[in-house]
Amino acid sequence: MLRWASARARTIVDMSYARHFLDFQGSAIPHAMQKLVVTRLSPDFREAVTLLRDCPVPLPGDGDLLVRNRFVGVNASDVNYAAGRYDPSVKTPFDVGFEGVGEVVALGLSASARYAVGQAVAYMAPGSFAEYTVVPAHAATPVPAATPAYLTLLVSGATAHISLKELGGLEEGKKVLVTAAAGGTGQFAVQLAKKAKCHVIGTCSSDEKSAFLKSIGCDRPINYNAEPVGVVLAREYPGGVDVVYESVGGAMFDLAVDALAVKGRLLVIGFISGYQTPTGLSPVKAGTLPVKLLRKSASVQGFFLNQYLSEHRASMDHLVKMCARGDLVCQVDQGNLSAEGRFTGLESVFRAVEYMYARKNTGKIVVELPHSVNSKL
């Protein structure tokens, strides 16, 4: 077993095991790695983030895992994080990236009670845009294999599952509107609402995405580049919609508020349309919001996954089982259709973020981190 001293020292105390660890490190884990670091606060991801190529590989503490990342997930909120919006007191430089999937290559003594070297795990923890990441054991979930499908569940799947379960009040026959429905988290909101026997409407930006939404059960995809969303909702759903899963903000938020039924609920899980602006927001008609809600006894409620972390492990266990059984489509977009091709290597994270904000993705954007030729794992 690995035994570690204080977190500051990170020194191996049990020397009977130290030789084995050092042999393992020497044969499979390099001394240096690449990672992405925020070096300047900015909503422009390329301006904010720097690829560092010669960083020491970190050592896990007593309750930690060292994970060799195979795939990392790109989220709209990576831009907010790099702009310092989640913690105004944060100082550069700091690591970036929220989620990854890979294998455990080293671990501390306490962590070894549940995990083992070589085990595949998915995790949600800061600093995933790196070849190796130290992950607290409690932030990891064992998965059948280090494949990108399980990565889609960590932030995107869990956001949809927990928010709809805790706040959505889904019931058979309810009408549910999902904005950005063909995106990383929208795809799960559509499927989970359908499994609750709801009627699901989903907005998207192309006929190809409309076809994808139909394939996962969406009753009425709306390609907003071909049909005005407000007109479709007013014409086809004159009684309004009961639940809105909203991640776009700006004008789409205003349309969604207007489309709410009596006692309708609008869940704000993001507002991507404004993240790249200096303020991080797109304007909404906030001045008329109180009267619109009052007239319908309707509500608007925010959902931020970090404030529901007590629910995350149970949600992940549930979603992993659904995925493994084939009961959940986990659509992954690895950039195969992008102009410069598949997202491979940390340097392609920049392209992947831009691809997302250009609204080109169908499903969750995932970047593959290829093996070092010297690695035996």
Side-chain angles (χ1 to χ4, degrees):
M1 294 290 182
L2 276 179
R3 294 179 182 271
W4 303 91
S6 68
R8 177 181 295 179
R10 297 293 172 93
T11 302
I12 301 171
V13 175
D14 184 348
M15 296 308 294
S16 65
Y17 195 80
R19 185 181 301 278
H20 173 73
F21 177 80
L22 293 175
D23 286 346
F24 177 73
Q25 185 182 43
S27 64
I29 305 176
H31 296 291
M33 68 173 189
Q34 297 184 35
K35 68 176 180 176
L36 295 184
V37 175
V38 177
T39 52
R40 176 183 177 184
L41 299 183
S42 171
D44 182 330
F45 193 80
R46 282 190 183 270
E47 183 177 85
V49 177
T50 301
L51 173 60
L52 302 182
R53 300 184 182 275
D54 194 24
C55 302
V57 174
L59 295 176
D62 177 67
D64 298 332
L65 313 173
L66 179 63
V67 177
R68 167 63 167 94
N69 293 316
R70 299 280 193 163
F71 298 93
V72 294
V74 172
N75 293 282
S77 47
D78 289 325
V79 164
N80 281 339
Y81 194 65
R85 289 175 178 149
Y86 292 145
D87 181 3
S89 68
V90 69
K91 303 296 183 183
T92 58
F94 56 89
D95 296 344
V96 67
F98 296 134
E99 57 186 343
V101 63
E103 291 96 3
V104 176
V105 295
L107 69 168
L109 176 61
S110 296
S112 67
R114 187 178 180 198
Y115 296 93
V117 169
Q119 186 171 4
V121 294
Y123 69 88
M124 185 175 68
S128 68
F129 290 163
E131 292 178 313
Y132 294 86
T133 302
V134 168
V135 179
H138 64 78
T141 299
V143 292
T147 58
Y150 295 108
L151 178 59
T152 67
L153 307 176
L154 288 157
V155 174
S156 298
T159 294
H161 181 244
I162 298 172
S163 65
L164 291 174
K165 177 175 175 284
E166 297 291 323
L167 309 176
L170 300 185
E171 297 175 2
E172 183 174 354
K174 294 283 189 181
K175 297 178 180 65
V176 178
L177 171 64
V178 180
T179 63
T185 185
Q187 64 171 327
F188 294 111
V190 168
Q191 294 177 78
L192 294 171
K194 283 304 297 179
K195 289 182 182 300
K197 300 182 179 180
C198 297
H199 177 94
V200 181
I201 309 127
T203 69
C204 63
S205 61
S206 70
D207 290 340
E208 291 77 14
K209 292 182 181 183
S210 290
F212 167 68
L213 289 177
K214 288 181 181 178
S215 75
I216 60 172
C218 184
D219 298 286
R220 180 52 164 104
I222 305 173
N223 172 4
Y224 56 74
N225 286 319
E227 301 179 277
V229 174
V231 172
V232 172
L233 293 174
R235 181 180 66 240
E236 299 182 21
Y237 303 94
V241 296
D242 301 295
V243 180
V244 181
Y245 183 87
E246 217 292 277
S247 62
V248 177
M252 187 64 77
F253 173 87
D254 293 331
L255 289 173
V257 169
D258 290 342
L260 282 172
V262 171
K263 299 182 181 179
R265 308 179 187 193
L266 189 153
L267 310 182
V268 177
I269 63 100
F271 32 93
I272 188 175
S273 62
Y275 290 173
Q276 291 181 302
T277 67
T279 64
L281 293 167
S282 291
V284 298
K285 297 176 182 177
T288 59
L289 184 60
V291 68
K292 289 180 179 180
L293 298 178
L294 178 64
R295 285 173 178 171
K296 298 178 180 179
S297 295
S299 64
V300 174
Q301 187 163 358
F303 177 88
F304 188 44
L305 182 60
N306 282 3
Q307 291 161 353
Y308 286 82
L309 292 182
S310 61
E311 309 292 327
H312 191 263
R313 180 171 292 279
S315 177
M316 277 297 294
D317 289 344
H318 176 74
L319 293 171
V320 166
K321 289 176 183 176
M322 290 182 69
C323 182
R325 292 195 306 262
D327 292 339
L328 199 63
V329 174
C330 303
Q331 181 72 15
V332 170
D333 191 330
Q334 293 184 250
N336 293 336
L337 300 180
S338 67
E340 297 178 56
R342 189 180 179 93
F343 301 133
T344 304
L346 286 170
E347 62 275 8
S348 69
V349 170
F350 298 96
R351 285 198 298 119
V353 170
E354 291 163 356
Y355 182 79
M356 170 180 288
Y357 278 90
R359 304 180 185 182
K360 294 180 179 179
N361 63 297
T362 299
K364 176 78 176 185
I365 297 179
V366 171
V367 174
E368 182 177 6
L369 303 187
H371 260 349
S372 165
V373 294
N374 296 320
S375 176
K376 297 179 181 179
L377 292 173

